[in-house]
Amino acid sequence: PREEPRVDTPREAAAPDILYRKHPLYPLASRKKGESGTVVLAVRLDAQGRVHEVSVRSSSGFPALDNSAMAAVRAWRFDPKAPRILLVPVVFRLE
């Protein structure tokens, strides 16, 4: 028999988990310097799906990008049925 994952076991957020998403600002200084990358955030939710805490699980390598991602994700809203801890990748790509 398969064991069900614990509610506090982090997993990557899926589209149905996210009810509201605010896109992060790409800092102008980072754009000018050619900084890009992916930051993975660990997001702890309350019972209503609101963000309780955000921390960097894996850095983009650039503090400005990491901070911009954290600021945006703090405003996100998640499905109350989602796990209490989700991993949220945020990609900064120059185009």
Side-chain angles (χ1 to χ4, degrees):
R2 280 182 33 150
E3 191 174 309
E4 287 296 315
R6 288 173 34 123
V7 174
D8 60 354
T9 301
R11 69 159 170 79
E12 188 167 321
D17 296 325
I18 304 166
L19 301 179
Y20 169 79
R21 177 189 320 239
K22 175 183 176 184
H23 291 286
L25 296 175
Y26 205 133
L28 184 57
S30 293
R31 283 181 185 271
K32 288 182 177 180
K33 293 177 191 172
E35 296 174 349
S36 63
T38 299
V39 56
V40 178
L41 302 175
V43 181
R44 185 176 299 274
L45 305 174
D46 67 14
Q48 288 76 43
R50 293 183 302 243
V51 175
H52 177 69
E53 182 182 349
V54 178
S55 61
V56 175
R57 183 74 170 268
S58 174
S59 175
S60 66
F62 302 102
L65 298 182
D66 295 351
N67 292 334
S68 179
M70 286 195 301
V73 171
R74 281 188 186 102
W76 289 20
R77 294 293 174 263
F78 294 84
D79 188 321
K81 295 184 290 290
R84 294 298 132 231
I85 303 173
L86 289 171
L87 301 177
V88 177
V90 179
V91 179
F92 290 91
R93 182 177 26 236
L94 291 169
E95 297 178 357

